[in-house]
Amino acid sequence: MSTLPALNDDELAELGRTVTGVPTARIGDVRVEVVDYPIGTPTTAGLYRVFGTADGVGWSCFVKQLQSVRHWEFLGMVPEELREEFVQNLPWQLELAVHRSNLPELLPDGMRLPATYRIDLCDDDRGTLWMENITPEPGPWPIARFERAAYLLGRLSARRQPHLVDPLLPRAGVTTPGIGLRYYTGGRVMRNAIPALAAPETWKNPMLAEAVDNLGDHTLRDDLLALATRLPAVLDALDTLPQCYQHGDASPQNLLVPQDCPDEFVVIDWGFDCPQAVGFDLGQLLIGLAHAGELSPEALPAVHKVILNAFQTGLAEEGMQVTEEQVLYGYLGSLCARATFTALPLWEPATPALFEQRVHLTRALVDLVSPVV
């Protein structure tokens, strides 16, 4: 975790006045808290909340420290011959580009970005984004919230077709359909996950073996490997579908529902800034909470049906004409490539309970995507 860059007294006063909207406010004591949240993205260096007072009234902001992957503490785990390509293919400036773009004009009613208070850039490929501190509504997502999120994601996707908009962060090759998913799949999935799933030693892990036994799912390995043989054809098929610039990581964790505005989504952590097959965003919407252990795998079929229909409704309302089969394949083909082979906790601290939950989730994903892809 990096250290939050210090602001001098004048900068802190300006920040507090920007947050409160009171240009003459007197700023009191300010304190910083480290956000206790596992960071899974190499371009995120640190997360913080800043609290202060202005004329005796409390204010706060959320701070995200960004970095080039060349500063990532685990870069040494990437094979040396692949490191520079890895650094170049994970653009750390994307989130800054989001907050400097016209994206707010494209978001449908019911979606917005967090307010941006300050952006600091350093010449060593680091930056800090100071933005609105959202207090999310507590508790699980009801099915109606999944439905509304999918509907709005459909509208957003239709508004961000390649002939209508450009990438948020222009760079070489970024307009190639599916380039981001292909890079991710070629590395984490084909180079790491599938060989691990194929290795008999993996399935001798005591916690994994116990979870498989408890669920009686002794065909899971064979089913995963059979699905893996279809992955190259899946990627080819995805590239032939209608394409959109979508959110890229539309899990519920990145669609914040403010406590004081439960019908609104504050959208954060955009990714995959390249054209993807229509329906791409539904994959993360479906499994984000299940992957975190906050939604039972048994709930996925019901959520799947609701979000597929709602997404199509959103597309149609924006005038994008696609078939149900195209959306379904774009959604489940992308989900197959991105999440099905990496759901087992082979690369993270795990417990027997986590292994059992993820074996259950992996089976649900295999059963969902296999009939389509």
Side-chain angles (χ1 to χ4, degrees):
M1 177 72 71
S2 299
T3 303
L4 179 64
L7 300 183
N8 60 38
D9 290 344
D10 289 341
E11 291 169 330
L12 278 174
E14 180 183 2
L15 175 65
R17 290 164 185 160
T18 300
V19 175
T20 60
V22 181
T24 59
R26 291 180 300 171
I27 304 303
D29 292 338
V30 175
R31 61 184 174 87
V32 177
E33 292 183 359
V34 176
V35 175
D36 184 17
Y37 186 82
I39 296 175
T41 305
T43 54
T44 299
L47 302 171
Y48 308 86
R49 287 189 176 91
V50 177
F51 299 90
T53 60
D55 292 337
V57 178
W59 60 270
S60 65
C61 72
F62 188 88
V63 186
K64 186 170 188 176
Q65 192 170 19
L66 302 162
Q67 64 182 5
S68 165
V69 181
R70 69 177 73 257
H71 298 301
W72 186 40
E73 61 180 326
F74 300 116
L75 184 60
M77 297 174 61
V78 178
E80 186 174 1
E81 68 273 14
L82 301 176
R83 286 178 198 167
E84 188 56 33
E85 181 185 24
F86 185 60
V87 169
Q88 296 303 320
N89 277 282
L90 269 73
W92 69 272
Q93 312 97 321
L94 176 57
E95 198 155 359
L96 301 180
V98 166
H99 286 265
R100 290 169 160 167
S101 72
N102 70 338
L103 192 54
E105 301 169 16
L106 298 175
L107 294 175
D109 291 343
M111 280 185 165
R112 68 177 180 87
L113 298 181
T116 308
Y117 301 134
R118 179 185 176 97
I119 294 176
D120 294 324
L121 287 174
C122 299
D123 56 11
D124 64 346
D125 289 340
R126 289 184 171 97
T128 306
L129 180 60
W130 309 71
M131 53 188 165
E132 182 180 0
N133 183 31
I134 304 294
T135 302
E137 188 173 71
W141 271 34
I143 194 72
R145 184 167 293 156
F146 282 100
E147 183 176 30
R148 178 164 170 76
Y151 163 72
L152 293 174
L153 288 169
R155 293 186 63 189
L156 175 64
S157 295
R159 293 180 178 193
R160 301 191 71 225
Q161 296 175 68
H163 70 281
L164 298 175
V165 299
D166 295 320
L168 294 165
L169 192 64
R171 56 203 187 278
V174 74
T175 59
T176 303
I179 188 173
L181 184 60
R182 281 186 178 274
Y183 180 76
Y184 174 86
T185 304
R188 186 176 181 194
V189 178
M190 293 183 173
R191 185 183 292 268
N192 295 322
I194 292 175
L197 294 172
E201 307 83 60
T202 297
W203 299 86
K204 295 175 184 177
N205 177 303
M207 289 187 287
L208 177 55
E210 181 181 11
V212 168
D213 285 341
N214 289 344
L215 294 171
D217 194 354
H218 297 285
T219 66
L220 182 60
R221 175 178 180 264
D222 291 343
D223 292 345
L224 282 166
L225 295 180
L227 190 60
T229 64
R230 288 140 64 181
L231 191 51
V234 170
L235 294 173
D236 288 343
L238 289 172
D239 292 348
T240 69
L241 294 174
Q243 304 285 307
C244 307
Y245 289 98
Q246 298 173 67
H247 175 280
D249 193 11
S251 67
Q253 293 92 325
N254 293 334
L255 304 174
L256 305 180
V257 179
Q259 198 166 33
D260 57 353
C261 194
D263 293 327
E264 181 177 71
F265 296 100
V266 180
V267 188
I268 62 171
D269 289 0
W270 297 67
F272 282 93
D273 182 36
C274 65
Q276 299 287 1
V278 63
F280 178 91
D281 271 348
L282 291 178
Q284 290 302 103
L285 181 64
L286 176 75
I287 70 156
L289 293 179
H291 194 269
E294 299 174 25
L295 182 72
S296 169
E298 284 98 341
L300 295 186
V303 175
H304 159 71
K305 182 177 180 180
V306 164
I307 64 176
L308 178 61
N309 291 336
F311 188 87
Q312 292 173 168
T313 300
L315 293 173
E317 285 202 12
E318 295 291 338
M320 186 173 180
Q321 301 300 316
V322 292
T323 67
E324 179 180 344
E325 290 74 18
Q326 288 174 319
V327 176
L328 181 64
Y329 198 100
Y331 156 33
L332 294 184
S334 301
L335 178 63
C336 173
R338 184 173 181 182
T340 304
F341 303 100
T342 56
L344 293 176
L346 304 177
W347 304 272
E348 58 187 289
T351 63
L354 180 61
F355 262 102
E356 187 157 331
Q357 188 264 337
R358 295 287 187 81
V359 166
H360 196 177
L361 174 59
T362 301
R363 167 51 64 190
L365 293 176
V366 169
D367 289 348
L368 184 63
V369 305
S370 292
V372 176
V373 305

